PDB file of all heavy atoms in Angstrom:
ATOM      1  N   ARG A 251     -47.168   1.915-139.978  1.00 71.00           N
ATOM      2  CA  ARG A 251     -47.929   1.930-138.729  1.00 71.00           C
ATOM      3  C   ARG A 251     -47.025   1.387-137.632  1.00 71.00           C
ATOM      4  O   ARG A 251     -46.263   0.440-137.858  1.00 71.00           O
ATOM      5  CB  ARG A 251     -49.162   1.031-138.828  1.00 71.00           C
ATOM      6  CG  ARG A 251     -50.153   1.429-139.888  1.00 71.00           C
ATOM      7  CD  ARG A 251     -51.096   2.510-139.359  1.00 71.00           C
ATOM      8  NE  ARG A 251     -51.823   3.163-140.409  1.00 71.00           N
ATOM      9  CZ  ARG A 251     -52.960   2.766-140.944  1.00 71.00           C
ATOM     10  NH1 ARG A 251     -53.525   1.664-140.534  1.00 71.00           N
ATOM     11  NH2 ARG A 251     -53.531   3.462-141.896  1.00 71.00           N
ATOM     12  N   ASP A 252     -47.117   1.986-136.468  1.00 79.00           N
ATOM     13  CA  ASP A 252     -46.384   1.456-135.324  1.00 79.00           C
ATOM     14  C   ASP A 252     -47.126   0.254-134.764  1.00 79.00           C
ATOM     15  O   ASP A 252     -48.337   0.307-134.549  1.00 79.00           O
ATOM     16  CB  ASP A 252     -46.229   2.521-134.227  1.00 79.00           C
ATOM     17  CG  ASP A 252     -45.262   3.621-134.634  1.00 79.00           C
ATOM     18  OD1 ASP A 252     -44.309   3.316-135.376  1.00 79.00           O
ATOM     19  OD2 ASP A 252     -45.465   4.768-134.205  1.00 79.00           O
ATOM     20  N   VAL A 253     -46.395  -0.825-134.547  1.00 82.00           N
ATOM     21  CA  VAL A 253     -46.960  -2.055-134.012  1.00 82.00           C
ATOM     22  C   VAL A 253     -46.042  -2.539-132.906  1.00 82.00           C
ATOM     23  O   VAL A 253     -44.811  -2.536-133.063  1.00 82.00           O
ATOM     24  CB  VAL A 253     -47.070  -3.140-135.121  1.00 82.00           C
ATOM     25  CG1 VAL A 253     -47.508  -4.465-134.548  1.00 82.00           C
ATOM     26  CG2 VAL A 253     -48.018  -2.690-136.219  1.00 82.00           C
ATOM     27  N   VAL A 254     -46.611  -2.945-131.797  1.00 82.00           N
ATOM     28  CA  VAL A 254     -45.821  -3.520-130.714  1.00 82.00           C
ATOM     29  C   VAL A 254     -45.337  -4.892-131.178  1.00 82.00           C
ATOM     30  O   VAL A 254     -46.144  -5.755-131.541  1.00 82.00           O
ATOM     31  CB  VAL A 254     -46.648  -3.641-129.415  1.00 82.00           C
ATOM     32  CG1 VAL A 254     -45.828  -4.306-128.322  1.00 82.00           C
ATOM     33  CG2 VAL A 254     -47.131  -2.270-128.969  1.00 82.00           C
ATOM     34  N   GLU A 255     -44.034  -5.086-131.184  1.00 82.00           N
ATOM     35  CA  GLU A 255     -43.452  -6.322-131.707  1.00 82.00           C
ATOM     36  C   GLU A 255     -43.303  -7.373-130.614  1.00 82.00           C
ATOM     37  O   GLU A 255     -42.208  -7.812-130.287  1.00 82.00           O
ATOM     38  CB  GLU A 255     -42.116  -6.031-132.390  1.00 82.00           C
ATOM     39  CG  GLU A 255     -42.271  -5.160-133.617  1.00 82.00           C
ATOM     40  CD  GLU A 255     -40.975  -4.945-134.375  1.00 82.00           C
ATOM     41  OE1 GLU A 255     -40.030  -5.744-134.208  1.00 82.00           O
ATOM     42  OE2 GLU A 255     -40.916  -3.975-135.150  1.00 82.00           O
ATOM     43  N   ASP A 256     -44.445  -7.796-130.065  1.00 87.00           N
ATOM     44  CA  ASP A 256     -44.417  -8.866-129.079  1.00 87.00           C
ATOM     45  C   ASP A 256     -45.046 -10.113-129.691  1.00 87.00           C
ATOM     46  O   ASP A 256     -45.722 -10.046-130.714  1.00 87.00           O
ATOM     47  CB  ASP A 256     -45.109  -8.455-127.776  1.00 87.00           C
ATOM     48  CG  ASP A 256     -46.571  -8.067-127.978  1.00 87.00           C
ATOM     49  OD1 ASP A 256     -47.044  -8.047-129.134  1.00 87.00           O
ATOM     50  OD2 ASP A 256     -47.245  -7.781-126.985  1.00 87.00           O
ATOM     51  N   TYR A 257     -44.796 -11.236-129.060  1.00 93.00           N
ATOM     52  CA  TYR A 257     -45.271 -12.524-129.576  1.00 93.00           C
ATOM     53  C   TYR A 257     -45.416 -13.481-128.410  1.00 93.00           C
ATOM     54  O   TYR A 257     -44.818 -13.288-127.345  1.00 93.00           O
ATOM     55  CB  TYR A 257     -44.302 -13.071-130.634  1.00 93.00           C
ATOM     56  CG  TYR A 257     -42.870 -13.106-130.172  1.00 93.00           C
ATOM     57  CD1 TYR A 257     -42.351 -14.201-129.498  1.00 93.00           C
ATOM     58  CD2 TYR A 257     -42.021 -12.029-130.405  1.00 93.00           C
ATOM     59  CE1 TYR A 257     -41.043 -14.225-129.054  1.00 93.00           C
ATOM     60  CE2 TYR A 257     -40.704 -12.049-129.969  1.00 93.00           C
ATOM     61  CZ  TYR A 257     -40.221 -13.152-129.301  1.00 93.00           C
ATOM     62  OH  TYR A 257     -38.925 -13.170-128.866  1.00 93.00           O
ATOM     63  N   PRO A 258     -46.210 -14.545-128.590  1.00 94.00           N
ATOM     64  CA  PRO A 258     -46.392 -15.514-127.503  1.00 94.00           C
ATOM     65  C   PRO A 258     -45.060 -16.190-127.165  1.00 94.00           C
ATOM     66  O   PRO A 258     -44.320 -16.606-128.076  1.00 94.00           O
ATOM     67  CB  PRO A 258     -47.375 -16.535-128.087  1.00 94.00           C
ATOM     68  CG  PRO A 258     -48.011 -15.865-129.253  1.00 94.00           C
ATOM     69  CD  PRO A 258     -47.020 -14.864-129.765  1.00 94.00           C
ATOM     70  N   PRO A 259     -44.724 -16.299-125.904  1.00 93.00           N
ATOM     71  CA  PRO A 259     -43.439 -16.901-125.520  1.00 93.00           C
ATOM     72  C   PRO A 259     -43.312 -18.365-125.936  1.00 93.00           C
ATOM     73  O   PRO A 259     -42.202 -18.867-126.097  1.00 93.00           O
ATOM     74  CB  PRO A 259     -43.387 -16.744-123.996  1.00 93.00           C
ATOM     75  CG  PRO A 259     -44.739 -16.340-123.569  1.00 93.00           C
ATOM     76  CD  PRO A 259     -45.489 -15.827-124.751  1.00 93.00           C
ATOM     77  N   SER A 260     -44.421 -19.035-126.153  1.00 95.00           N
ATOM     78  CA  SER A 260     -44.379 -20.449-126.542  1.00 95.00           C
ATOM     79  C   SER A 260     -44.159 -20.647-128.045  1.00 95.00           C
ATOM     80  O   SER A 260     -43.944 -21.768-128.493  1.00 95.00           O
ATOM     81  CB  SER A 260     -45.682 -21.138-126.131  1.00 95.00           C
ATOM     82  OG  SER A 260     -46.774 -20.531-126.799  1.00 95.00           O
ATOM     83  N   LEU A 261     -44.200 -19.575-128.812  1.00 96.00           N
ATOM     84  CA  LEU A 261     -44.038 -19.657-130.264  1.00 96.00           C
ATOM     85  C   LEU A 261     -42.597 -20.063-130.593  1.00 96.00           C
ATOM     86  O   LEU A 261     -41.652 -19.461-130.075  1.00 96.00           O
ATOM     87  CB  LEU A 261     -44.355 -18.293-130.888  1.00 96.00           C
ATOM     88  CG  LEU A 261     -44.533 -18.222-132.395  1.00 96.00           C
ATOM     89  CD1 LEU A 261     -45.751 -19.035-132.837  1.00 96.00           C
ATOM     90  CD2 LEU A 261     -44.712 -16.763-132.818  1.00 96.00           C
ATOM     91  N   PRO A 262     -42.413 -21.086-131.449  1.00 97.00           N
ATOM     92  CA  PRO A 262     -41.046 -21.460-131.832  1.00 97.00           C
ATOM     93  C   PRO A 262     -40.333 -20.265-132.472  1.00 97.00           C
ATOM     94  O   PRO A 262     -40.938 -19.501-133.235  1.00 97.00           O
ATOM     95  CB  PRO A 262     -41.255 -22.585-132.857  1.00 97.00           C
ATOM     96  CG  PRO A 262     -42.608 -23.151-132.520  1.00 97.00           C
ATOM     97  CD  PRO A 262     -43.417 -21.978-132.031  1.00 97.00           C
ATOM     98  N   ALA A 263     -39.058 -20.110-132.158  1.00 97.00           N
ATOM     99  CA  ALA A 263     -38.288 -18.947-132.621  1.00 97.00           C
ATOM    100  C   ALA A 263     -38.372 -18.761-134.128  1.00 97.00           C
ATOM    101  O   ALA A 263     -38.505 -17.638-134.622  1.00 97.00           O
ATOM    102  CB  ALA A 263     -36.833 -19.083-132.178  1.00 97.00           C
ATOM    103  N   VAL A 264     -38.320 -19.835-134.875  1.00 97.00           N
ATOM    104  CA  VAL A 264     -38.333 -19.748-136.340  1.00 97.00           C
ATOM    105  C   VAL A 264     -39.665 -19.223-136.878  1.00 97.00           C
ATOM    106  O   VAL A 264     -39.727 -18.710-137.998  1.00 97.00           O
ATOM    107  CB  VAL A 264     -37.945 -21.107-136.968  1.00 97.00           C
ATOM    108  CG1 VAL A 264     -39.067 -22.112-136.854  1.00 97.00           C
ATOM    109  CG2 VAL A 264     -37.467 -20.949-138.391  1.00 97.00           C
ATOM    110  N   ASP A 265     -40.739 -19.293-136.083  1.00 98.00           N
ATOM    111  CA  ASP A 265     -42.064 -18.818-136.495  1.00 98.00           C
ATOM    112  C   ASP A 265     -42.338 -17.364-136.104  1.00 98.00           C
ATOM    113  O   ASP A 265     -43.332 -16.788-136.544  1.00 98.00           O
ATOM    114  CB  ASP A 265     -43.157 -19.702-135.891  1.00 98.00           C
ATOM    115  CG  ASP A 265     -43.106 -21.123-136.425  1.00 98.00           C
ATOM    116  OD1 ASP A 265     -42.601 -21.326-137.552  1.00 98.00           O
ATOM    117  OD2 ASP A 265     -43.576 -22.038-135.714  1.00 98.00           O
ATOM    118  N   VAL A 266     -41.477 -16.781-135.297  1.00 97.00           N
ATOM    119  CA  VAL A 266     -41.705 -15.421-134.805  1.00 97.00           C
ATOM    120  C   VAL A 266     -41.757 -14.380-135.923  1.00 97.00           C
ATOM    121  O   VAL A 266     -42.668 -13.539-135.946  1.00 97.00           O
ATOM    122  CB  VAL A 266     -40.672 -15.054-133.711  1.00 97.00           C
ATOM    123  CG1 VAL A 266     -40.684 -13.563-133.399  1.00 97.00           C
ATOM    124  CG2 VAL A 266     -40.942 -15.868-132.448  1.00 97.00           C
ATOM    125  N   PRO A 267     -40.818 -14.375-136.884  1.00 97.00           N
ATOM    126  CA  PRO A 267     -40.889 -13.332-137.917  1.00 97.00           C
ATOM    127  C   PRO A 267     -42.186 -13.364-138.739  1.00 97.00           C
ATOM    128  O   PRO A 267     -42.740 -12.304-139.046  1.00 97.00           O
ATOM    129  CB  PRO A 267     -39.673 -13.611-138.801  1.00 97.00           C
ATOM    130  CG  PRO A 267     -38.729 -14.333-137.907  1.00 97.00           C
ATOM    131  CD  PRO A 267     -39.596 -15.169-137.021  1.00 97.00           C
ATOM    132  N   ALA A 268     -42.676 -14.538-139.089  1.00 97.00           N
ATOM    133  CA  ALA A 268     -43.934 -14.624-139.830  1.00 97.00           C
ATOM    134  C   ALA A 268     -45.086 -14.092-138.980  1.00 97.00           C
ATOM    135  O   ALA A 268     -45.946 -13.343-139.471  1.00 97.00           O
ATOM    136  CB  ALA A 268     -44.212 -16.063-140.263  1.00 97.00           C
ATOM    137  N   PHE A 269     -45.105 -14.448-137.701  1.00 97.00           N
ATOM    138  CA  PHE A 269     -46.138 -13.956-136.787  1.00 97.00           C
ATOM    139  C   PHE A 269     -46.113 -12.430-136.744  1.00 97.00           C
ATOM    140  O   PHE A 269     -47.152 -11.771-136.845  1.00 97.00           O
ATOM    141  CB  PHE A 269     -45.915 -14.543-135.380  1.00 97.00           C
ATOM    142  CG  PHE A 269     -46.862 -14.029-134.345  1.00 97.00           C
ATOM    143  CD1 PHE A 269     -48.083 -14.645-134.134  1.00 97.00           C
ATOM    144  CD2 PHE A 269     -46.533 -12.922-133.574  1.00 97.00           C
ATOM    145  CE1 PHE A 269     -48.969 -14.164-133.176  1.00 97.00           C
ATOM    146  CE2 PHE A 269     -47.400 -12.437-132.617  1.00 97.00           C
ATOM    147  CZ  PHE A 269     -48.627 -13.053-132.412  1.00 97.00           C
ATOM    148  N   LEU A 270     -44.906 -11.861-136.595  1.00 96.00           N
ATOM    149  CA  LEU A 270     -44.787 -10.402-136.494  1.00 96.00           C
ATOM    150  C   LEU A 270     -45.133  -9.712-137.812  1.00 96.00           C
ATOM    151  O   LEU A 270     -45.735  -8.634-137.811  1.00 96.00           O
ATOM    152  CB  LEU A 270     -43.388 -10.012-136.025  1.00 96.00           C
ATOM    153  CG  LEU A 270     -43.067 -10.384-134.573  1.00 96.00           C
ATOM    154  CD1 LEU A 270     -41.614 -10.067-134.243  1.00 96.00           C
ATOM    155  CD2 LEU A 270     -44.008  -9.681-133.600  1.00 96.00           C
TER     156      LEU A 270
END
Side-chain angles (χ1 to χ4, degrees):
R251 299 276 165 86
D252 289 328
V253 174
V254 177
E255 295 185 20
D256 59 356
Y257 52 88
S260 61
L261 193 64
V264 74
D265 295 335
V266 168
F269 176 88
L270 291 175

